[in-house]
Structure formats: structure tokens, C-alpha cells
Amino acid sequence: DDPLVTVNVFRSDLLDGNPGTALNLLAPDVLVYQGGGEQSSREDYIKNQIRKDIAHLAAYYVEETSQTHAVQDDLAWVSTRLRLLGKSVEKPVEHFGTETVVLRRFASGWLIVHRHWSDSELADDGG
């Protein structure tokens, strides 16, 4: 019963290519923002984004560089910064990812009600 565990298991499921398990951690009315797009329910996310997220993450080695969170009553937020190193030998790429997740505690445990994800290629100056 820990929001950090929920967020980290969700990401791990995406990295492992397990969409069914990941979806169990999303509230039915989850709101997902990423890359300028919006999915306004778990069904929208299933239909439009989850397979893309799994494919995108499969191209990288993912390292968590920082994570912070807060809990107040039945709401929590988790902010995570990730370093993504491309697996391609021909064109190695380094990205940084930022994820902010809002969770609500239900009778069954913590579920993700909002997720905002972005990543960008590392600039030559390191920033």
C-alpha cells in the first residue's frame, strides 16, 4: 500500500512489455498527457498509447536518477527523473525522461489517476 511501489511497478511492467499488469494500476478515468497527446481514460490509453510506450521504452536502458513523492490523505504524487540510454550501437542516443504521477487510494490500493510523461534528447552541453 505504497504509491511509490505502484508507480515503479507500472513503469517496470511497461519496460517488461506487460500491458495487462500495468493497466491494473490505472484508474478507469485516468488522464494521461504525453508528447502533446491526451488519453482521458484507461480505455483510451489501451487503444492509443500503451503499445507505443512499451515499444519506445524497449529501445532504451532506463536508469532512475531521482524520485520524490508526497502523500496527503487519499491522494499522492510521485515525480521521477529518468536517464534513457539507447540500445542501438549504430546510433547511441541519450534522453532524459520526466514523469509526474498523481494517485488516489481506493479500497484495492493506490491507482494512477493522472500521468504526465515527457522525454528529450540530451543537448550537447549536457542540459
Side-chain angles (χ1 to χ4, degrees), residues 85-102:
L85 300 170
K87 292 180 179 178
S88 171
V89 176
E90 297 82 36
K91 186 181 176 197
V93 177
E94 183 175 15
H95 286 246
F96 280 107
T98 303
E99 176 184 62
T100 303
V101 176
V102 178

Side-chain angles (χ1 to χ4, degrees), residues 49-70:
Q49 194 61 45
I50 194 165
R51 295 277 177 209
K52 293 175 189 175
D53 286 352
I54 289 171
H56 177 72
L57 288 172
Y60 298 95
Y61 299 105
V62 178
E63 172 189 351
E64 181 183 300
T65 61
S66 67
Q67 189 171 60
T68 187
H69 77 290

Side-chain angles (χ1 to χ4, degrees), residues 1-13 21-22 24-27 67 76 78 99 101-105 108-113:
D1 192 37
D2 182 338
L4 284 174
V5 170
T6 300
V7 169
N8 291 327
V9 168
F10 177 80
R11 185 179 328 104
S12 179
D13 288 341
T21 309
N24 291 331
L25 300 174
L26 299 176
Q67 189 171 60
V78 178
E99 176 184 62
V101 176
V102 178
L103 303 98
R104 185 180 322 131
R105 187 188 336 246
S108 61
W110 290 99
L111 293 180
I112 297 168
V113 295

Side-chain angles (χ1 to χ4, degrees), residues 73-92:
D73 300 323
D74 288 337
L75 289 176
W77 61 266
V78 178
S79 179
T80 308
R81 188 86 165 126
L82 302 164
R83 182 174 174 225
L84 296 91
L85 300 170
K87 292 180 179 178
S88 171
V89 176
E90 297 82 36
K91 186 181 176 197

